[in-house]
Structures are given as structure tokens and as C-alpha cells.
Amino acid sequence: MKWVRTILFMIVFYGVSVPIVLLTPITALFGRKALIVHTHIWTKFHGWATEHILGIRRRVEGVLFVDGPVIYAAKHQAMYETLELGRMLRTPAIVMKQELASIPVWGWAARRYGVIVVDREASASALRRMVREGQAELALGRSILIFPEGTRVPPGEQPPLRAGFAGLYQMLKIPVIPVAIDSGLVWPKHGPKHAGVVTFRFGEPIPPGLPRAEAERRVHAAINALER
């Protein structure tokens, strides 16, 4: 049954997603608000498909929102949370790796949506550009979503945080809400998906202005709070 559900999900979700994604550049011509609505429709469909086809539900612990924009620093174990968090957090500006933002046409539309591009090489110029893009999104009242470990990791792994998180934290001077996620338990990188519950645990806000090492220590511990 796991493989049946997984294959059915792939047929339904990707079958509907292809035209949605192909229409994204057209929607982008009508401005950011139209693109945000377009994205919300896609992520809402993703939530429906994962729940009703795969049997994957979500459980939310902690407080999602505080006053004013924040940086959401989240664990990344599966594709699941990249779309679910976008829907749950009211379409935040997402920090995206350079390779994805460089995809022809789609990358242009992503920039119109307001992604923040991060260079894995973490050069000084790339970090300054990332901070400028973050400041521009904050000026519009948007929060920022970043996966500070830099990549998707299987359950149990706890790699160190990448430099991009520290750059945003130190320069934007806004609180950080860490998010622990255990999606990898039901959504492995290879093999069938499993029915079950994905927990999103929103930790206590971490105030701005802490020394870099202290901020990174607290964020790393909080996003890995569900690891076993």
C-alpha cells in the first residue's frame, strides 16, 4: 500500500503541478501579489494531496507568529516542509540556493516572488547581496524562511549551520524562530512515503543582538530538538 499511495501521489501531484509551474511566469507578469496567490494555491493543493493520498498529517507545537517580521530557521529533511512552511507562514521570503534561482524562466519568476539567493561558497559579495535582498523583503513586512543547515539531511544528522544564517541574523537584527521538523521519518529521500504525522515544533524566539556563536548554538539545538 505504501508504494501504491506513493505512485498515486506522484501521478496526481506532479500531474497538476506541471501546468501550475508552467503558468508561473505568466502569473508573474501581473505582479508579486498575483504570484503569491498562485503559489498559495499550489501549496494548498500539496497539503491536500499529502493528507488525502499519502495519509501524512501535520502537528504544530509552539507559537508560529510574533509581532513583526522574523527569521524562521527550520530543519530540512524532505520536500514536504518547503511547501508546507510557505503555506503555514503566510508566504515568507524564502532563502534559496543559487542553482535553483538560476533555472531559466522559473528562476526569474522565483525572484519576482521575492526569494533571497544564497551562494554556498559564502563569498563576502554574495553575503552582502543576500543581506540586501533580505532587507528589501523586510521593508515590505515579510518574514524570512531559511534552512540554516544548508541542505536536506536524513533523520539523525545534525550538520553545522552555514554562514548565510549568521549573516542574516547579524545584519537584519530581528528575532529568530527556530523550527524543528521530523518529516524525514515519513518522507524518506528514497523509497515509498509512509502515512503518519509530521511535527512542526516552533521554539521560543531568539532575540537579535546575541554573539554569533551563542545564536548559532541556540538555533542548532532548537531545530534538532526532535532528533532521536
Side-chain angles (χ1 to χ4, degrees):
M1 282 301 295
K2 292 178 183 178
W3 271 115
V4 171
R5 287 196 301 263
T6 299
I7 293 171
L8 180 60
F9 171 81
M10 293 175 67
I11 294 172
V12 173
F13 176 69
Y14 289 106
V16 174
S17 293
V18 168
I20 289 176
V21 173
L22 290 177
L23 286 172
T24 299
I26 298 175
T27 305
L29 296 173
F30 295 91
R32 178 173 292 186
K33 288 185 178 179
L35 192 54
I36 287 176
V37 171
H38 184 102
T39 303
H40 181 72
I41 292 172
W42 184 38
T43 57
K44 190 172 183 179
F45 171 68
H46 173 262
W48 177 90
T50 54
E51 180 175 352
H52 294 280
I53 298 177
L54 293 176
I56 295 175
R57 295 174 293 108
R58 73 183 188 204
R59 176 174 58 229
V60 178
E61 300 178 358
V63 179
L64 279 69
F65 303 108
V66 297
D67 293 335
V70 299
I71 298 172
Y72 290 97
K75 188 72 178 179
H76 189 17
Q77 292 187 344
M79 184 190 78
Y80 178 78
E81 60 266 11
T82 60
L83 296 180
E84 282 299 293
L85 282 174
R87 181 163 64 108
M88 293 165 61
L89 302 178
R90 303 170 186 168
T91 57
I94 302 174
V95 177
M96 179 181 295
K97 59 185 179 181
Q98 178 70 46
E99 295 89 333
L100 295 177
S102 299
I103 297 174
V105 183
W106 188 88
W108 170 81
R111 288 180 179 274
R112 292 275 288 179
Y113 170 86
V115 301
I116 299 169
V117 178
V118 60
D119 187 342
R120 289 186 175 184
E121 299 302 321
S123 65
S125 61
L127 288 173
R128 286 195 296 269
R129 182 188 64 192
M130 183 178 65
V131 170
R132 287 196 302 269
E133 292 176 355
Q135 290 170 333
E137 295 305 318
L138 287 185
L140 297 175
R142 298 180 77 185
S143 290
I144 294 170
L145 170 62
I146 185 172
F147 299 103
E149 291 174 333
T151 188
R152 179 172 58 181
V153 297
E157 291 192 10
Q158 302 181 27
L161 307 189
R162 296 293 185 94
F165 165 74
L168 286 176
Y169 173 76
Q170 292 177 316
M171 299 303 296
L172 298 185
K173 297 178 171 56
I174 57 176
V176 177
I177 296 182
V179 189
I181 304 169
D182 59 0
S183 57
L185 299 176
V186 300
W187 195 295
K189 187 175 182 179
H190 304 290
K193 312 299 185 282
H194 313 290
V197 178
V198 174
T199 299
F200 291 81
R201 180 177 293 173
F202 290 80
E204 291 294 323
I206 296 170
L210 296 177
R212 173 177 175 173
E214 173 67 9
E216 289 184 329
R217 183 190 65 79
R218 291 175 63 171
V219 168
H220 190 265
I223 68 173
N224 287 293
L226 295 175
E227 295 298 316
R228 12 194 188 279

